[in-house]
Amino acid sequence: MTITTTPTAKRRKTRTRTKRVSSRPAIVVSQMLPNLIDLLPGTESLVCPDCETWCPITGQNSATPKLVPHHTNPAGTSEARRCSGSNRRVLLDLTIPQWHQLLADAIKETSSRRATNVLRKPKTALAPAMSQMTPPPITAETTRKAYRAHTKGCGACTGQTRCAEGRRLAETYVRVVRQEPRRQQIRAAFARERARFDRLYVAHAAKNRAAEWAKQAETKVKANELAKKAGTAAEEFNNVCRIRPVGALSEFRGPHVPLRHLRITT
């Protein structure tokens, strides 16, 4: 009796002792992205191009560096399958300083990138509904032009005969001509009402402006009165510019002026 077991993915070994070498072309390290390579001593590894997982590099000091045998699924996964990149040769044509320089250049280029500005497509305004559209005003001139254009292009409207559309346009023209005086009166009434509203608006604005100016003037007068009350009578007289005749006496001479601190010279 034969018992078959399902293969399970095993943990990848850092160093393997096998002479098997894959017949596939070697992986050139210089042609890979620097962030997919690790060339530090003791941790040499790279991302397998087939299964896109990190795999150690064995025999890096020998003549044939290669990837260790590995599975396509993580360790412990059932129904494991050996990756076709196992034992694939690796061409280490980069030194550690060169690899560090490539990493630094890649980091600098990535940090200098900026997100592109998203140009939003302008939104077109929605057309108004038919109920929201304001029809053009009907006048005698517009109805006459519509009737003339119809009679020129209609083959049934000849001589005294008119088609249904021609008769409708003719009746509309006659009705508009008959109602035109009334329409003019309504337009004149609306124009007078609009002019009256404009006059009231201007008068109200002027009244408010005059009241505001009066309030500002009153505030200024009160401020001046407070400034005057803050000083003395002597300061007020000194601040007043007056023209005095020659030989006039000062207002400060009199019995109420103290003379104790005055120096009287003879």
Side-chain angles (χ1 to χ4, degrees), residues 152-201:
K152 287 182 180 180
C154 182
C157 297
T158 57
Q160 300 296 328
T161 60
R162 297 288 184 271
C163 65
E165 183 66 16
R167 289 194 298 271
R168 187 186 67 81
L169 292 175
E171 292 174 359
T172 303
Y173 174 69
V174 173
R175 184 175 68 253
V176 170
V177 171
R178 187 172 61 250
Q179 295 177 354
E180 188 63 23
R182 177 60 179 169
R183 293 175 183 272
Q184 291 181 359
Q185 292 178 2
I186 295 175
R187 295 193 193 100
F190 272 107
R192 290 194 299 270
E193 189 66 20
R194 181 65 183 179
R196 186 182 67 84
F197 175 78
D198 293 342
R199 290 194 300 270
L200 291 177
Y201 179 80

mmCIF file of all heavy atoms in Angstrom, residues 152-201:
data_model
loop_
_atom_site.group_PDB
_atom_site.id
_atom_site.type_symbol
_atom_site.label_atom_id
_atom_site.label_comp_id
_atom_site.label_asym_id
_atom_site.label_seq_id
_atom_site.Cartn_x
_atom_site.Cartn_y
_atom_site.Cartn_z
ATOM 1 N N LYS A 152 -43.527 83.138 -48.614
ATOM 2 C CA LYS A 152 -42.489 82.974 -49.634
ATOM 3 C C LYS A 152 -42.057 81.522 -49.784
ATOM 4 O O LYS A 152 -41.741 81.072 -50.897
ATOM 5 C CB LYS A 152 -41.283 83.837 -49.282
ATOM 6 C CG LYS A 152 -41.504 85.324 -49.487
ATOM 7 C CD LYS A 152 -40.238 86.098 -49.159
ATOM 8 C CE LYS A 152 -40.444 87.600 -49.372
ATOM 9 N NZ LYS A 152 -39.214 88.378 -49.065
ATOM 10 N N GLY A 153 -42.040 80.781 -48.697
ATOM 11 C CA GLY A 153 -41.579 79.398 -48.779
ATOM 12 C C GLY A 153 -42.671 78.379 -48.936
ATOM 13 O O GLY A 153 -42.370 77.205 -49.192
ATOM 14 N N CYS A 154 -43.937 78.746 -48.781
ATOM 15 C CA CYS A 154 -45.040 77.783 -48.862
ATOM 16 C C CYS A 154 -45.600 77.778 -50.292
ATOM 17 O O CYS A 154 -45.943 78.838 -50.831
ATOM 18 C CB CYS A 154 -46.122 78.127 -47.851
ATOM 19 S SG CYS A 154 -47.509 76.952 -47.845
ATOM 20 N N GLY A 155 -45.712 76.580 -50.875
ATOM 21 C CA GLY A 155 -46.267 76.484 -52.232
ATOM 22 C C GLY A 155 -47.775 76.567 -52.267
ATOM 23 O O GLY A 155 -48.370 76.899 -53.311
ATOM 24 N N ALA A 156 -48.465 76.281 -51.147
ATOM 25 C CA ALA A 156 -49.936 76.328 -51.129
ATOM 26 C C ALA A 156 -50.470 77.741 -50.962
ATOM 27 O O ALA A 156 -51.637 78.002 -51.261
ATOM 28 C CB ALA A 156 -50.465 75.435 -50.006
ATOM 29 N N CYS A 157 -49.624 78.650 -50.435
ATOM 30 C CA CYS A 157 -50.077 80.035 -50.223
ATOM 31 C C CYS A 157 -49.796 80.838 -51.500
ATOM 32 O O CYS A 157 -48.701 81.372 -51.695
ATOM 33 C CB CYS A 157 -49.365 80.653 -49.022
ATOM 34 S SG CYS A 157 -49.710 79.822 -47.456
ATOM 35 N N THR A 158 -50.783 80.872 -52.402
ATOM 36 C CA THR A 158 -50.668 81.616 -53.666
ATOM 37 C C THR A 158 -51.929 82.430 -53.877
ATOM 38 O O THR A 158 -53.049 81.929 -53.712
ATOM 39 C CB THR A 158 -50.476 80.655 -54.852
ATOM 40 O OG1 THR A 158 -51.571 79.731 -54.898
ATOM 41 C CG2 THR A 158 -49.172 79.885 -54.742
ATOM 42 N N GLY A 159 -51.755 83.670 -54.315
ATOM 43 C CA GLY A 159 -52.915 84.517 -54.600
ATOM 44 C C GLY A 159 -53.750 84.762 -53.363
ATOM 45 O O GLY A 159 -53.257 85.228 -52.329
ATOM 46 N N GLN A 160 -55.047 84.409 -53.452
ATOM 47 C CA GLN A 160 -55.973 84.621 -52.341
ATOM 48 C C GLN A 160 -56.094 83.393 -51.448
ATOM 49 O O GLN A 160 -56.782 83.434 -50.437
ATOM 50 C CB GLN A 160 -57.357 84.991 -52.893
ATOM 51 C CG GLN A 160 -57.377 86.259 -53.733
ATOM 52 C CD GLN A 160 -57.011 87.476 -52.912
ATOM 53 O OE1 GLN A 160 -57.294 87.542 -51.716
ATOM 54 N NE2 GLN A 160 -56.377 88.462 -53.571
ATOM 55 N N THR A 161 -55.497 82.291 -51.826
ATOM 56 C CA THR A 161 -55.602 81.063 -51.026
ATOM 57 C C THR A 161 -54.456 80.989 -50.044
ATOM 58 O O THR A 161 -53.323 81.343 -50.364
ATOM 59 C CB THR A 161 -55.585 79.827 -51.943
ATOM 60 O OG1 THR A 161 -54.362 79.809 -52.677
ATOM 61 C CG2 THR A 161 -56.773 79.867 -52.914
ATOM 62 N N ARG A 162 -54.759 80.502 -48.856
ATOM 63 C CA ARG A 162 -53.760 80.333 -47.812
ATOM 64 C C ARG A 162 -53.946 78.966 -47.163
ATOM 65 O O ARG A 162 -55.071 78.477 -47.025
ATOM 66 C CB ARG A 162 -53.891 81.427 -46.723
ATOM 67 C CG ARG A 162 -53.651 82.838 -47.243
ATOM 68 C CD ARG A 162 -52.175 83.039 -47.553
ATOM 69 N NE ARG A 162 -51.896 84.408 -47.959
ATOM 70 C CZ ARG A 162 -51.959 84.846 -49.201
ATOM 71 N NH1 ARG A 162 -52.291 83.989 -50.189
ATOM 72 N NH2 ARG A 162 -51.687 86.095 -49.503
ATOM 73 N N CYS A 163 -52.819 78.402 -46.759
ATOM 74 C CA CYS A 163 -52.895 77.132 -46.033
ATOM 75 C C CYS A 163 -53.283 77.404 -44.575
ATOM 76 O O CYS A 163 -53.468 78.554 -44.160
ATOM 77 C CB CYS A 163 -51.556 76.405 -46.109
ATOM 78 S SG CYS A 163 -50.207 77.282 -45.279
ATOM 79 N N ALA A 164 -53.403 76.325 -43.813
ATOM 80 C CA ALA A 164 -53.828 76.483 -42.411
ATOM 81 C C ALA A 164 -52.821 77.306 -41.619
ATOM 82 O O ALA A 164 -53.178 78.189 -40.833
ATOM 83 C CB ALA A 164 -54.016 75.109 -41.764
ATOM 84 N N GLU A 165 -51.514 77.049 -41.836
ATOM 85 C CA GLU A 165 -50.491 77.809 -41.118
ATOM 86 C C GLU A 165 -50.487 79.264 -41.555
ATOM 87 O O GLU A 165 -50.307 80.179 -40.744
ATOM 88 C CB GLU A 165 -49.117 77.177 -41.358
ATOM 89 C CG GLU A 165 -47.975 77.836 -40.613
ATOM 90 C CD GLU A 165 -48.090 77.684 -39.111
ATOM 91 O OE1 GLU A 165 -48.871 76.815 -38.651
ATOM 92 O OE2 GLU A 165 -47.394 78.434 -38.385
ATOM 93 N N GLY A 166 -50.676 79.510 -42.856
ATOM 94 C CA GLY A 166 -50.720 80.888 -43.338
ATOM 95 C C GLY A 166 -51.898 81.649 -42.757
ATOM 96 O O GLY A 166 -51.773 82.831 -42.407
ATOM 97 N N ARG A 167 -53.079 80.977 -42.699
ATOM 98 C CA ARG A 167 -54.247 81.642 -42.106
ATOM 99 C C ARG A 167 -54.010 81.942 -40.623
ATOM 100 O O ARG A 167 -54.398 83.004 -40.123
ATOM 101 C CB ARG A 167 -55.482 80.761 -42.286
ATOM 102 C CG ARG A 167 -55.991 80.681 -43.726
ATOM 103 C CD ARG A 167 -57.378 80.093 -43.777
ATOM 104 N NE ARG A 167 -57.417 78.729 -43.259
ATOM 105 C CZ ARG A 167 -57.220 77.633 -43.996
ATOM 106 N NH1 ARG A 167 -56.950 77.759 -45.306
ATOM 107 N NH2 ARG A 167 -57.289 76.441 -43.459
ATOM 108 N N ARG A 168 -53.370 81.011 -39.935
ATOM 109 C CA ARG A 168 -53.101 81.259 -38.508
ATOM 110 C C ARG A 168 -52.176 82.450 -38.316
ATOM 111 O O ARG A 168 -52.398 83.297 -37.438
ATOM 112 C CB ARG A 168 -52.478 80.010 -37.879
ATOM 113 C CG ARG A 168 -52.319 80.096 -36.356
ATOM 114 C CD ARG A 168 -51.569 78.905 -35.830
ATOM 115 N NE ARG A 168 -50.188 78.905 -36.290
ATOM 116 C CZ ARG A 168 -49.219 79.640 -35.724
ATOM 117 N NH1 ARG A 168 -49.496 80.426 -34.691
ATOM 118 N NH2 ARG A 168 -47.997 79.580 -36.198
ATOM 119 N N LEU A 169 -51.110 82.545 -39.123
ATOM 120 C CA LEU A 169 -50.191 83.673 -39.015
ATOM 121 C C LEU A 169 -50.864 84.989 -39.378
ATOM 122 O O LEU A 169 -50.608 86.033 -38.749
ATOM 123 C CB LEU A 169 -48.975 83.435 -39.910
ATOM 124 C CG LEU A 169 -48.040 82.298 -39.485
ATOM 125 C CD1 LEU A 169 -46.957 82.091 -40.527
ATOM 126 C CD2 LEU A 169 -47.418 82.580 -38.125
ATOM 127 N N ALA A 170 -51.741 84.946 -40.393
ATOM 128 C CA ALA A 170 -52.455 86.169 -40.775
ATOM 129 C C ALA A 170 -53.390 86.627 -39.664
ATOM 130 O O ALA A 170 -53.457 87.826 -39.339
ATOM 131 C CB ALA A 170 -53.237 85.927 -42.074
ATOM 132 N N GLU A 171 -54.102 85.697 -39.038
ATOM 133 C CA GLU A 171 -54.996 86.051 -37.930
ATOM 134 C C GLU A 171 -54.192 86.587 -36.744
ATOM 135 O O GLU A 171 -54.620 87.536 -36.071
ATOM 136 C CB GLU A 171 -55.806 84.828 -37.520
ATOM 137 C CG GLU A 171 -56.823 84.371 -38.574
ATOM 138 C CD GLU A 171 -57.490 83.073 -38.182
ATOM 139 O OE1 GLU A 171 -57.141 82.534 -37.097
ATOM 140 O OE2 GLU A 171 -58.353 82.592 -38.940
ATOM 141 N N THR A 172 -53.032 85.995 -36.496
ATOM 142 C CA THR A 172 -52.191 86.484 -35.400
ATOM 143 C C THR A 172 -51.721 87.906 -35.666
ATOM 144 O O THR A 172 -51.705 88.755 -34.761
ATOM 145 C CB THR A 172 -50.978 85.556 -35.208
ATOM 146 O OG1 THR A 172 -51.432 84.217 -34.968
ATOM 147 C CG2 THR A 172 -50.128 85.996 -34.034
ATOM 148 N N TYR A 173 -51.350 88.180 -36.920
ATOM 149 C CA TYR A 173 -50.890 89.532 -37.265
ATOM 150 C C TYR A 173 -52.006 90.560 -37.088
ATOM 151 O O TYR A 173 -51.798 91.638 -36.511
ATOM 152 C CB TYR A 173 -50.384 89.533 -38.700
ATOM 153 C CG TYR A 173 -50.027 90.909 -39.210
ATOM 154 C CD1 TYR A 173 -48.930 91.589 -38.712
ATOM 155 C CD2 TYR A 173 -50.815 91.531 -40.179
ATOM 156 C CE1 TYR A 173 -48.607 92.860 -39.165
ATOM 157 C CE2 TYR A 173 -50.506 92.808 -40.636
ATOM 158 C CZ TYR A 173 -49.398 93.454 -40.124
ATOM 159 O OH TYR A 173 -49.096 94.720 -40.570
ATOM 160 N N VAL A 174 -53.229 90.225 -37.530
ATOM 161 C CA VAL A 174 -54.357 91.148 -37.386
ATOM 162 C C VAL A 174 -54.681 91.377 -35.911
ATOM 163 O O VAL A 174 -54.936 92.512 -35.477
ATOM 164 C CB VAL A 174 -55.576 90.594 -38.139
ATOM 165 C CG1 VAL A 174 -56.810 91.455 -37.858
ATOM 166 C CG2 VAL A 174 -55.304 90.555 -39.645
ATOM 167 N N ARG A 175 -54.628 90.308 -35.114
ATOM 168 C CA ARG A 175 -54.945 90.450 -33.687
ATOM 169 C C ARG A 175 -53.898 91.296 -32.973
ATOM 170 O O ARG A 175 -54.222 92.144 -32.127
ATOM 171 C CB ARG A 175 -55.019 89.069 -33.044
ATOM 172 C CG ARG A 175 -55.446 89.106 -31.568
ATOM 173 C CD ARG A 175 -55.631 87.743 -30.987
ATOM 174 N NE ARG A 175 -54.368 87.025 -30.871
ATOM 175 C CZ ARG A 175 -54.014 86.019 -31.652
ATOM 176 N NH1 ARG A 175 -54.817 85.615 -32.639
ATOM 177 N NH2 ARG A 175 -52.861 85.418 -31.482
ATOM 178 N N VAL A 176 -52.627 91.102 -33.312
ATOM 179 C CA VAL A 176 -51.570 91.884 -32.676
ATOM 180 C C VAL A 176 -51.676 93.354 -33.061
ATOM 181 O O VAL A 176 -51.491 94.255 -32.235
ATOM 182 C CB VAL A 176 -50.192 91.300 -33.055
ATOM 183 C CG1 VAL A 176 -49.071 92.227 -32.604
ATOM 184 C CG2 VAL A 176 -50.008 89.929 -32.428
ATOM 185 N N VAL A 177 -51.976 93.635 -34.323
ATOM 186 C CA VAL A 177 -52.133 95.031 -34.755
ATOM 187 C C VAL A 177 -53.300 95.682 -34.024
ATOM 188 O O VAL A 177 -53.233 96.852 -33.616
ATOM 189 C CB VAL A 177 -52.318 95.096 -36.281
ATOM 190 C CG1 VAL A 177 -52.709 96.510 -36.712
ATOM 191 C CG2 VAL A 177 -51.045 94.672 -36.991
ATOM 192 N N ARG A 178 -54.375 94.929 -33.810
ATOM 193 C CA ARG A 178 -55.542 95.479 -33.119
ATOM 194 C C ARG A 178 -55.250 95.707 -31.635
ATOM 195 O O ARG A 178 -55.768 96.651 -31.022
ATOM 196 C CB ARG A 178 -56.720 94.518 -33.285
ATOM 197 C CG ARG A 178 -58.040 95.076 -32.738
ATOM 198 C CD ARG A 178 -59.211 94.199 -33.084
ATOM 199 N NE ARG A 178 -59.074 92.862 -32.526
ATOM 200 C CZ ARG A 178 -58.850 91.763 -33.259
ATOM 201 N NH1 ARG A 178 -58.722 91.862 -34.575
ATOM 202 N NH2 ARG A 178 -58.728 90.585 -32.683
ATOM 203 N N GLN A 179 -54.417 94.863 -31.041
ATOM 204 C CA GLN A 179 -54.114 94.993 -29.609
ATOM 205 C C GLN A 179 -52.877 95.855 -29.330
ATOM 206 O O GLN A 179 -52.532 96.045 -28.169
ATOM 207 C CB GLN A 179 -53.887 93.596 -29.014
ATOM 208 C CG GLN A 179 -55.114 92.700 -29.035
ATOM 209 C CD GLN A 179 -54.812 91.312 -28.516
ATOM 210 O OE1 GLN A 179 -53.659 90.987 -28.237
ATOM 211 N NE2 GLN A 179 -55.858 90.497 -28.384
ATOM 212 N N GLU A 180 -52.209 96.345 -30.377
ATOM 213 C CA GLU A 180 -50.987 97.109 -30.174
ATOM 214 C C GLU A 180 -51.189 98.369 -29.347
ATOM 215 O O GLU A 180 -50.366 98.678 -28.456
ATOM 216 C CB GLU A 180 -50.363 97.452 -31.519
ATOM 217 C CG GLU A 180 -48.984 98.090 -31.429
ATOM 218 C CD GLU A 180 -47.955 97.168 -30.817
ATOM 219 O OE1 GLU A 180 -48.146 95.942 -30.860
ATOM 220 O OE2 GLU A 180 -46.942 97.673 -30.271
ATOM 221 N N PRO A 181 -52.261 99.172 -29.538
ATOM 222 C CA PRO A 181 -52.452 100.366 -28.677
ATOM 223 C C PRO A 181 -52.547 100.005 -27.202
ATOM 224 O O PRO A 181 -51.978 100.693 -26.343
ATOM 225 C CB PRO A 181 -53.738 100.973 -29.208
ATOM 226 C CG PRO A 181 -53.831 100.523 -30.619
ATOM 227 C CD PRO A 181 -53.267 99.136 -30.624
ATOM 228 N N ARG A 182 -53.269 98.920 -26.911
ATOM 229 C CA ARG A 182 -53.393 98.517 -25.520
ATOM 230 C C ARG A 182 -52.036 98.079 -24.967
ATOM 231 O O ARG A 182 -51.687 98.386 -23.826
ATOM 232 C CB ARG A 182 -54.396 97.367 -25.413
ATOM 233 C CG ARG A 182 -54.574 96.807 -24.012
ATOM 234 C CD ARG A 182 -55.061 97.870 -23.047
ATOM 235 N NE ARG A 182 -55.255 97.332 -21.714
ATOM 236 C CZ ARG A 182 -55.473 98.062 -20.633
ATOM 237 N NH1 ARG A 182 -55.504 99.394 -20.728
ATOM 238 N NH2 ARG A 182 -55.660 97.489 -19.476
ATOM 239 N N ARG A 183 -51.260 97.380 -25.766
ATOM 240 C CA ARG A 183 -49.933 96.949 -25.328
ATOM 241 C C ARG A 183 -49.027 98.156 -25.053
ATOM 242 O O ARG A 183 -48.264 98.164 -24.089
ATOM 243 C CB ARG A 183 -49.298 96.054 -26.386
ATOM 244 C CG ARG A 183 -49.986 94.715 -26.580
ATOM 245 C CD ARG A 183 -49.355 93.948 -27.727
ATOM 246 N NE ARG A 183 -50.024 92.696 -27.990
ATOM 247 C CZ ARG A 183 -49.743 91.527 -27.391
ATOM 248 N NH1 ARG A 183 -48.768 91.494 -26.500
ATOM 249 N NH2 ARG A 183 -50.416 90.443 -27.680
ATOM 250 N N GLN A 184 -49.115 99.170 -25.897
ATOM 251 C CA GLN A 184 -48.302 100.365 -25.681
ATOM 252 C C GLN A 184 -48.686 101.075 -24.390
ATOM 253 O O GLN A 184 -47.824 101.582 -23.665
ATOM 254 C CB GLN A 184 -48.457 101.304 -26.880
ATOM 255 C CG GLN A 184 -47.826 100.783 -28.159
ATOM 256 C CD GLN A 184 -47.973 101.739 -29.299
ATOM 257 O OE1 GLN A 184 -48.580 102.812 -29.153
ATOM 258 N NE2 GLN A 184 -47.441 101.385 -30.470
ATOM 259 N N GLN A 185 -49.995 101.113 -24.089
ATOM 260 C CA GLN A 185 -50.423 101.720 -22.825
ATOM 261 C C GLN A 185 -49.868 100.958 -21.616
ATOM 262 O O GLN A 185 -49.423 101.563 -20.631
ATOM 263 C CB GLN A 185 -51.948 101.749 -22.773
ATOM 264 C CG GLN A 185 -52.604 102.687 -23.778
ATOM 265 C CD GLN A 185 -54.113 102.635 -23.703
ATOM 266 O OE1 GLN A 185 -54.675 101.919 -22.864
ATOM 267 N NE2 GLN A 185 -54.776 103.382 -24.584
ATOM 268 N N ILE A 186 -49.890 99.626 -21.702
ATOM 269 C CA ILE A 186 -49.364 98.821 -20.594
ATOM 270 C C ILE A 186 -47.859 99.052 -20.438
ATOM 271 O O ILE A 186 -47.346 99.198 -19.316
ATOM 272 C CB ILE A 186 -49.678 97.334 -20.829
ATOM 273 C CG1 ILE A 186 -51.187 97.102 -20.786
ATOM 274 C CG2 ILE A 186 -48.968 96.462 -19.803
ATOM 275 C CD1 ILE A 186 -51.606 95.695 -21.135
ATOM 276 N N ARG A 187 -47.131 99.104 -21.577
ATOM 277 C CA ARG A 187 -45.689 99.354 -21.496
ATOM 278 C C ARG A 187 -45.398 100.724 -20.906
ATOM 279 O O ARG A 187 -44.465 100.882 -20.096
ATOM 280 C CB ARG A 187 -45.070 99.243 -22.888
ATOM 281 C CG ARG A 187 -45.126 97.854 -23.507
ATOM 282 C CD ARG A 187 -44.220 97.768 -24.712
ATOM 283 N NE ARG A 187 -44.490 96.571 -25.482
ATOM 284 C CZ ARG A 187 -45.218 96.540 -26.598
ATOM 285 N NH1 ARG A 187 -45.727 97.662 -27.092
ATOM 286 N NH2 ARG A 187 -45.421 95.413 -27.249
ATOM 287 N N ALA A 188 -46.199 101.735 -21.289
ATOM 288 C CA ALA A 188 -46.000 103.078 -20.738
ATOM 289 C C ALA A 188 -46.276 103.100 -19.240
ATOM 290 O O ALA A 188 -45.559 103.760 -18.471
ATOM 291 C CB ALA A 188 -46.900 104.083 -21.471
ATOM 292 N N ALA A 189 -47.318 102.388 -18.802
ATOM 293 C CA ALA A 189 -47.627 102.329 -17.366
ATOM 294 C C ALA A 189 -46.475 101.672 -16.592
ATOM 295 O O ALA A 189 -46.086 102.143 -15.520
ATOM 296 C CB ALA A 189 -48.932 101.576 -17.142
ATOM 297 N N PHE A 190 -45.946 100.577 -17.144
ATOM 298 C CA PHE A 190 -44.814 99.918 -16.489
ATOM 299 C C PHE A 190 -43.595 100.841 -16.446
ATOM 300 O O PHE A 190 -42.865 100.876 -15.451
ATOM 301 C CB PHE A 190 -44.469 98.625 -17.230
ATOM 302 C CG PHE A 190 -45.246 97.428 -16.750
ATOM 303 C CD1 PHE A 190 -46.249 96.886 -17.519
ATOM 304 C CD2 PHE A 190 -44.972 96.849 -15.520
ATOM 305 C CE1 PHE A 190 -46.970 95.780 -17.080
ATOM 306 C CE2 PHE A 190 -45.682 95.749 -15.070
ATOM 307 C CZ PHE A 190 -46.687 95.208 -15.849
ATOM 308 N N ALA A 191 -43.360 101.601 -17.511
ATOM 309 C CA ALA A 191 -42.219 102.515 -17.536
ATOM 310 C C ALA A 191 -42.379 103.618 -16.496
ATOM 311 O O ALA A 191 -41.415 103.979 -15.809
ATOM 312 C CB ALA A 191 -42.060 103.110 -18.929
ATOM 313 N N ARG A 192 -43.604 104.163 -16.363
ATOM 314 C CA ARG A 192 -43.832 105.202 -15.346
ATOM 315 C C ARG A 192 -43.631 104.646 -13.935
ATOM 316 O O ARG A 192 -43.058 105.310 -13.071
ATOM 317 C CB ARG A 192 -45.241 105.776 -15.499
ATOM 318 C CG ARG A 192 -45.451 106.626 -16.745
ATOM 319 C CD ARG A 192 -46.754 107.419 -16.646
ATOM 320 N NE ARG A 192 -47.907 106.531 -16.527
ATOM 321 C CZ ARG A 192 -48.607 106.050 -17.555
ATOM 322 N NH1 ARG A 192 -48.242 106.362 -18.797
ATOM 323 N NH2 ARG A 192 -49.637 105.260 -17.370
ATOM 324 N N GLU A 193 -44.120 103.424 -13.702
ATOM 325 C CA GLU A 193 -43.972 102.824 -12.376
ATOM 326 C C GLU A 193 -42.497 102.560 -12.061
ATOM 327 O O GLU A 193 -42.050 102.763 -10.929
ATOM 328 C CB GLU A 193 -44.781 101.518 -12.319
ATOM 329 C CG GLU A 193 -44.878 100.904 -10.932
ATOM 330 C CD GLU A 193 -45.669 101.768 -9.977
ATOM 331 O OE1 GLU A 193 -46.448 102.625 -10.459
ATOM 332 O OE2 GLU A 193 -45.507 101.599 -8.757
ATOM 333 N N ARG A 194 -41.766 102.148 -13.080
ATOM 334 C CA ARG A 194 -40.349 101.916 -12.864
ATOM 335 C C ARG A 194 -39.606 103.214 -12.564
ATOM 336 O O ARG A 194 -38.733 103.255 -11.674
ATOM 337 C CB ARG A 194 -39.739 101.255 -14.124
ATOM 338 C CG ARG A 194 -38.262 100.939 -14.012
ATOM 339 C CD ARG A 194 -38.002 99.914 -12.955
ATOM 340 N NE ARG A 194 -36.586 99.654 -12.776
ATOM 341 C CZ ARG A 194 -36.087 98.799 -11.882
ATOM 342 N NH1 ARG A 194 -36.912 98.146 -11.089
ATOM 343 N NH2 ARG A 194 -34.797 98.619 -11.780
ATOM 344 N N ALA A 195 -39.955 104.281 -13.278
ATOM 345 C CA ALA A 195 -39.314 105.572 -13.015
ATOM 346 C C ALA A 195 -39.659 106.078 -11.612
ATOM 347 O O ALA A 195 -38.806 106.639 -10.913
ATOM 348 C CB ALA A 195 -39.750 106.580 -14.075
ATOM 349 N N ARG A 196 -40.913 105.877 -11.186
ATOM 350 C CA ARG A 196 -41.304 106.310 -9.836
ATOM 351 C C ARG A 196 -40.538 105.534 -8.769
ATOM 352 O O ARG A 196 -40.073 106.106 -7.768
ATOM 353 C CB ARG A 196 -42.805 106.104 -9.647
ATOM 354 C CG ARG A 196 -43.368 106.666 -8.329
ATOM 355 C CD ARG A 196 -44.855 106.372 -8.213
ATOM 356 N NE ARG A 196 -45.089 104.940 -8.077
ATOM 357 C CZ ARG A 196 -45.025 104.286 -6.898
ATOM 358 N NH1 ARG A 196 -44.735 104.947 -5.785
ATOM 359 N NH2 ARG A 196 -45.261 103.000 -6.838
ATOM 360 N N PHE A 197 -40.383 104.244 -8.997
ATOM 361 C CA PHE A 197 -39.624 103.428 -8.035
ATOM 362 C C PHE A 197 -38.167 103.892 -7.971
ATOM 363 O O PHE A 197 -37.575 103.962 -6.875
ATOM 364 C CB PHE A 197 -39.698 101.964 -8.443
ATOM 365 C CG PHE A 197 -38.862 101.060 -7.594
ATOM 366 C CD1 PHE A 197 -39.282 100.663 -6.332
ATOM 367 C CD2 PHE A 197 -37.626 100.611 -8.052
ATOM 368 C CE1 PHE A 197 -38.501 99.843 -5.548
ATOM 369 C CE2 PHE A 197 -36.844 99.791 -7.272
ATOM 370 C CZ PHE A 197 -37.282 99.398 -6.016
ATOM 371 N N ASP A 198 -37.589 104.216 -9.127
ATOM 372 C CA ASP A 198 -36.209 104.686 -9.138
ATOM 373 C C ASP A 198 -36.055 105.996 -8.380
ATOM 374 O O ASP A 198 -35.090 106.204 -7.639
ATOM 375 C CB ASP A 198 -35.714 104.846 -10.575
ATOM 376 C CG ASP A 198 -35.589 103.500 -11.289
ATOM 377 O OD1 ASP A 198 -35.549 102.467 -10.591
ATOM 378 O OD2 ASP A 198 -35.553 103.493 -12.535
ATOM 379 N N ARG A 199 -37.031 106.915 -8.550
ATOM 380 C CA ARG A 199 -36.967 108.197 -7.817
ATOM 381 C C ARG A 199 -37.076 107.974 -6.310
ATOM 382 O O ARG A 199 -36.350 108.595 -5.527
ATOM 383 C CB ARG A 199 -38.081 109.128 -8.306
ATOM 384 C CG ARG A 199 -37.870 109.658 -9.725
ATOM 385 C CD ARG A 199 -38.817 110.816 -10.001
ATOM 386 N NE ARG A 199 -40.211 110.422 -9.884
ATOM 387 C CZ ARG A 199 -40.952 109.944 -10.880
ATOM 388 N NH1 ARG A 199 -40.410 109.798 -12.088
ATOM 389 N NH2 ARG A 199 -42.202 109.598 -10.704
ATOM 390 N N LEU A 200 -38.003 107.093 -5.900
ATOM 391 C CA LEU A 200 -38.141 106.813 -4.468
ATOM 392 C C LEU A 200 -36.868 106.179 -3.901
ATOM 393 O O LEU A 200 -36.448 106.505 -2.784
ATOM 394 C CB LEU A 200 -39.338 105.879 -4.235
ATOM 395 C CG LEU A 200 -40.726 106.472 -4.492
ATOM 396 C CD1 LEU A 200 -41.793 105.415 -4.303
ATOM 397 C CD2 LEU A 200 -40.982 107.649 -3.550
ATOM 398 N N TYR A 201 -36.261 105.314 -4.690
ATOM 399 C CA TYR A 201 -35.028 104.666 -4.216
ATOM 400 C C TYR A 201 -33.908 105.685 -4.054
ATOM 401 O O TYR A 201 -33.181 105.685 -3.044
ATOM 402 C CB TYR A 201 -34.623 103.574 -5.208
ATOM 403 C CG TYR A 201 -33.358 102.855 -4.834
ATOM 404 C CD1 TYR A 201 -33.364 101.850 -3.879
ATOM 405 C CD2 TYR A 201 -32.147 103.198 -5.436
ATOM 406 C CE1 TYR A 201 -32.200 101.194 -3.528
ATOM 407 C CE2 TYR A 201 -30.977 102.544 -5.086
ATOM 408 C CZ TYR A 201 -31.010 101.547 -4.138
ATOM 409 O OH TYR A 201 -29.844 100.907 -3.788
#
